[in-house]
Coordinates of all heavy atoms in Angstrom, one line a residue:
N85 N -84.2 70.8 -54.5 CA -84.4 71.6 -53.3 C -83.8 70.9 -52.1 O -83.0 71.5 -51.3 CB -85.9 71.9 -53.1 CG -86.2 72.9 -52.0 OD1 -85.4 73.8 -51.8 ND2 -87.2 72.7 -51.3
S86 N -84.1 69.6 -51.9 CA -83.5 68.8 -50.8 C -82.0 68.7 -51.0 O -81.3 68.7 -50.0 CB -84.1 67.4 -50.8 OG -85.5 67.5 -50.6
G87 N -81.5 68.6 -52.2 CA -80.0 68.6 -52.4 C -79.3 69.8 -52.0 O -78.3 69.7 -51.3
V88 N -79.9 71.0 -52.3 CA -79.3 72.2 -51.9 C -79.3 72.4 -50.3 O -78.3 72.7 -49.7 CB -80.0 73.5 -52.5 CG1 -79.4 74.8 -51.9 CG2 -79.8 73.4 -54.0
Y89 N -80.4 72.0 -49.8 CA -80.6 72.1 -48.3 C -79.6 71.2 -47.6 O -78.9 71.6 -46.7 CB -82.0 71.8 -47.9 CG -82.2 71.7 -46.4 CD1 -82.4 72.9 -45.7 CD2 -82.2 70.5 -45.7 CE1 -82.6 72.8 -44.3 CE2 -82.3 70.4 -44.4 CZ -82.5 71.6 -43.6 OH -82.6 71.5 -42.3
S90 N -79.7 69.9 -47.9 CA -78.9 68.9 -47.1 C -77.4 69.1 -47.3 O -76.6 69.0 -46.4 CB -79.3 67.5 -47.5 OG -79.1 67.3 -48.9
S91 N -77.0 69.4 -48.6 CA -75.5 69.6 -48.8 C -75.0 70.9 -48.2 O -73.9 70.9 -47.7 CB -75.2 69.6 -50.3 OG -76.0 70.5 -51.0
S92 N -75.8 71.9 -48.2 CA -75.3 73.2 -47.5 C -75.2 73.0 -46.0 O -74.2 73.5 -45.4 CB -76.3 74.3 -47.8 OG -77.6 74.0 -47.3
R93 N -76.1 72.2 -45.4 CA -76.0 72.0 -43.9 C -74.8 71.0 -43.6 O -74.2 71.1 -42.6 CB -77.3 71.4 -43.4 CG -78.3 72.4 -42.9 CD -78.6 73.5 -43.9 NE -79.6 74.4 -43.5 CZ -80.1 75.3 -44.3 NH1 -79.7 75.5 -45.6 NH2 -81.0 76.2 -43.9
T94 N -74.5 70.1 -44.6 CA -73.4 69.2 -44.4 C -72.1 70.0 -44.5 O -71.2 69.8 -43.7 CB -73.4 68.1 -45.4 OG1 -74.6 67.4 -45.3 CG2 -72.2 67.2 -45.3
L95 N -72.0 71.0 -45.5 CA -70.9 71.8 -45.6 C -70.7 72.7 -44.4 O -69.6 73.0 -44.0 CB -71.0 72.6 -46.9 CG -69.8 73.4 -47.3 CD1 -68.6 72.5 -47.5 CD2 -70.1 74.1 -48.7
L96 N -71.8 73.2 -43.9 CA -71.8 74.0 -42.6 C -71.1 73.2 -41.5 O -70.3 73.7 -40.8 CB -73.2 74.4 -42.3 CG -73.4 75.0 -40.8 CD1 -72.7 76.4 -40.7 CD2 -74.9 75.2 -40.6
S97 N -71.6 72.0 -41.3 CA -71.0 71.1 -40.3 C -69.5 70.8 -40.5 O -68.8 70.8 -39.5 CB -71.8 69.8 -40.3 OG -71.3 68.9 -39.3
L98 N -69.1 70.6 -41.8 CA -67.7 70.4 -42.0 C -66.9 71.6 -41.6 O -65.8 71.5 -41.1 CB -67.5 70.1 -43.5 CG -68.0 68.7 -44.0 CD1 -68.1 68.7 -45.5 CD2 -67.0 67.6 -43.5
A99 N -67.4 72.8 -41.9 CA -66.7 74.0 -41.6 C -66.6 74.2 -40.1 O -65.6 74.6 -39.6 CB -67.4 75.2 -42.2
E100 N -67.7 73.9 -39.4 CA -67.7 74.1 -37.9 C -66.7 73.1 -37.3 O -66.2 73.4 -36.2 CB -69.1 73.9 -37.4 CG -70.1 75.0 -37.7 CD -71.5 74.8 -37.3 OE1 -71.8 73.6 -37.0 OE2 -72.2 75.8 -37.1
N101 N -66.5 71.9 -37.9 CA -65.6 70.9 -37.3 C -64.2 71.1 -37.8 O -63.3 70.2 -37.6 CB -66.1 69.5 -37.7 CG -67.4 69.1 -36.9 OD1 -67.6 69.6 -35.8 ND2 -68.3 68.4 -37.5
G102 N -63.9 72.2 -38.6 CA -62.6 72.4 -39.1 C -62.2 71.6 -40.3 O -61.0 71.5 -40.7
N103 N -63.2 71.0 -41.0 CA -62.9 70.2 -42.2 C -63.2 70.9 -43.5 O -63.2 70.3 -44.6 CB -63.7 68.9 -42.1 CG -63.2 68.0 -41.0 OD1 -62.1 67.9 -40.7 ND2 -64.2 67.3 -40.4
A104 N -63.6 72.2 -43.4 CA -63.8 73.0 -44.6 C -63.5 74.4 -44.2 O -63.4 74.8 -43.0 CB -65.3 72.9 -45.0
P105 N -63.2 75.3 -45.2 CA -62.9 76.7 -44.8 C -64.0 77.3 -43.9 O -65.2 77.1 -44.1 CB -63.0 77.4 -46.2 CG -62.6 76.3 -47.2 CD -63.2 75.0 -46.6
K106 N -63.5 78.1 -43.0 CA -64.4 78.6 -41.9 C -65.5 79.5 -42.4 O -66.6 79.6 -41.8 CB -63.6 79.4 -40.9 CG -62.8 78.6 -39.9 CD -63.8 77.8 -39.0 CE -63.1 77.0 -38.0 NZ -64.0 76.2 -37.2
F107 N -65.3 80.2 -43.6 CA -66.4 81.1 -44.0 C -67.7 80.4 -44.4 O -68.7 81.0 -44.5 CB -65.9 82.0 -45.2 CG -65.6 81.3 -46.5 CD1 -66.6 81.1 -47.4 CD2 -64.3 80.8 -46.8 CE1 -66.4 80.5 -48.6 CE2 -64.1 80.2 -48.0 CZ -65.1 80.0 -48.9
F108 N -67.5 79.1 -44.7 CA -68.7 78.3 -45.0 C -69.6 78.1 -43.7 O -70.8 77.7 -43.9 CB -68.4 76.9 -45.5 CG -67.9 76.9 -46.9 CD1 -66.6 76.3 -47.2 CD2 -68.6 77.5 -47.9 CE1 -66.2 76.3 -48.5 CE2 -68.1 77.5 -49.2 CZ -66.9 76.9 -49.5
A109 N -69.1 78.5 -42.6 CA -69.9 78.4 -41.3 C -70.7 79.7 -41.1 O -71.4 79.7 -40.1 CB -69.0 78.0 -40.2
R110 N -70.5 80.7 -41.9 CA -71.2 81.9 -41.7 C -72.7 81.8 -41.9 O -73.1 81.2 -42.9 CB -70.6 83.0 -42.6 CG -71.3 84.4 -42.4 CD -70.8 85.4 -43.4 NE -71.6 86.6 -43.2 CZ -71.5 87.6 -44.1 NH1 -70.7 87.6 -45.1 NH2 -72.3 88.7 -43.9
I111 N -73.5 82.3 -41.0 CA -74.9 82.2 -41.0 C -75.5 83.6 -41.0 O -75.1 84.5 -40.2 CB -75.5 81.4 -39.8 CG1 -75.0 80.0 -39.8 CG2 -77.0 81.5 -39.8 CD1 -75.3 79.2 -38.6
N112 N -76.4 83.9 -42.0 CA -76.9 85.3 -42.1 C -78.0 85.5 -41.1 O -78.4 84.6 -40.4 CB -77.3 85.6 -43.6 CG -78.5 84.7 -44.0 OD1 -79.2 84.1 -43.2 ND2 -78.7 84.7 -45.3
R113 N -78.6 86.7 -41.2 CA -79.6 87.1 -40.2 C -80.9 86.3 -40.4 O -81.8 86.3 -39.5 CB -79.9 88.6 -40.3 CG -80.5 89.1 -41.6 CD -80.5 90.6 -41.6 NE -81.0 91.1 -42.9 CZ -82.2 91.4 -43.1 NH1 -83.1 91.2 -42.2 NH2 -82.6 91.9 -44.3
F114 N -81.1 85.6 -41.5 CA -82.3 84.8 -41.8 C -82.1 83.4 -41.2 O -82.9 82.5 -41.4 CB -82.6 84.7 -43.3 CG -82.9 86.1 -43.9 CD1 -82.0 86.6 -44.8 CD2 -84.0 86.8 -43.6 CE1 -82.2 87.9 -45.4 CE2 -84.3 88.0 -44.1 CZ -83.4 88.5 -45.0
G115 N -80.9 83.1 -40.6 CA -80.6 81.8 -40.1 C -80.2 80.8 -41.2 O -80.3 79.6 -41.1
I116 N -79.6 81.3 -42.3 CA -79.2 80.5 -43.5 C -77.7 80.5 -43.6 O -77.1 81.6 -43.6 CB -79.8 81.0 -44.8 CG1 -81.4 81.0 -44.7 CG2 -79.4 80.2 -46.0 CD1 -82.0 79.7 -44.5
P117 N -77.0 79.3 -43.8 CA -75.6 79.3 -44.1 C -75.4 79.7 -45.5 O -75.2 78.9 -46.4 CB -75.2 77.8 -43.8 CG -76.5 77.1 -44.1 CD -77.6 78.0 -43.6
I118 N -75.3 81.0 -45.7 CA -75.4 81.6 -47.1 C -74.3 81.1 -48.0 O -74.6 80.8 -49.2 CB -75.5 83.1 -47.0 CG1 -75.7 83.7 -48.4 CG2 -74.3 83.7 -46.3 CD1 -77.1 83.4 -49.0
W119 N -73.1 81.1 -47.5 CA -72.0 80.7 -48.4 C -72.0 79.2 -48.7 O -71.6 78.8 -49.8 CB -70.6 81.1 -47.7 CG -70.5 82.6 -47.7 CD1 -70.4 83.4 -46.5 CD2 -70.3 83.5 -48.8 NE1 -70.3 84.7 -46.8 CE2 -70.2 84.8 -48.2 CE3 -70.3 83.3 -50.1 CZ2 -70.1 85.9 -49.0 CZ3 -70.1 84.5 -50.9 CH2 -70.0 85.7 -50.4
S120 N -72.5 78.4 -47.8 CA -72.6 77.0 -48.0 C -73.7 76.7 -49.1 O -73.5 75.9 -50.0 CB -73.0 76.3 -46.8 OG -71.9 76.3 -45.8
V121 N -74.8 77.5 -49.0 CA -75.8 77.4 -50.0 C -75.3 77.8 -51.4 O -75.5 77.1 -52.4 CB -77.1 78.2 -49.6 CG1 -78.1 78.3 -50.8 CG2 -77.7 77.7 -48.4
L122 N -74.7 78.9 -51.5 CA -74.2 79.4 -52.8 C -73.1 78.5 -53.4 O -73.1 78.3 -54.6 CB -73.7 80.9 -52.6 CG -74.7 81.9 -52.2 CD1 -74.1 83.3 -52.0 CD2 -75.8 82.0 -53.3
A123 N -72.2 78.0 -52.5 CA -71.2 77.1 -53.0 C -71.8 75.8 -53.6 O -71.3 75.3 -54.6 CB -70.2 76.8 -51.9
T124 N -72.8 75.3 -52.9 CA -73.4 74.1 -53.4 C -74.1 74.3 -54.7 O -73.9 73.5 -55.7 CB -74.5 73.6 -52.4 OG1 -73.8 73.2 -51.2 CG2 -75.2 72.4 -52.9
C125 N -74.8 75.5 -54.9 CA -75.4 75.8 -56.1 C -74.4 76.0 -57.2 O -74.6 75.6 -58.4 CB -76.3 77.0 -56.0 SG -77.8 76.8 -54.9
A126 N -73.3 76.6 -56.9 CA -72.2 76.9 -57.9 C -71.6 75.6 -58.4 O -71.4 75.4 -59.6 CB -71.1 77.8 -57.3
V127 N -71.3 74.6 -57.5 CA -70.8 73.4 -57.9 C -71.8 72.6 -58.7 O -71.5 71.9 -59.7 CB -70.3 72.5 -56.6 CG1 -70.0 71.1 -57.0 CG2 -69.1 73.2 -56.0
G128 N -73.1 72.6 -58.3 CA -74.1 71.9 -59.0 C -74.2 72.5 -60.4 O -74.4 71.7 -61.4
C129 N -74.1 73.8 -60.6 CA -74.1 74.4 -61.9 C -72.9 74.0 -62.7 O -73.1 73.7 -63.9 CB -74.1 76.0 -61.7 SG -74.3 76.9 -63.3

């Protein structure tokens, strides 16, 4: 759980700083960086 949380927020920061694709910075209406979360889970899988 901590791994998904911390890595998704790190990927969000990378996207906001231009070090990762911009769509990873997208935040949904729940305040969650949805694409960063899903990408992290996919790579973990």
Side-chain angles (χ1 to χ4, degrees):
N85 189 35
S86 295
V88 173
Y89 173 82
S90 58
S91 55
S92 62
R93 271 50 177 188
T94 301
L95 189 54
L96 167 66
S97 176
L98 286 167
E100 289 177 339
N101 290 327
N103 292 326
K106 281 295 182 185
F107 68 89
F108 286 126
R110 181 185 173 188
I111 299 173
N112 65 13
R113 61 191 180 89
F114 300 111
I116 301 296
I118 185 66
W119 292 112
S120 293
V121 170
L122 295 178
T124 296
C125 291
V127 170
C129 185

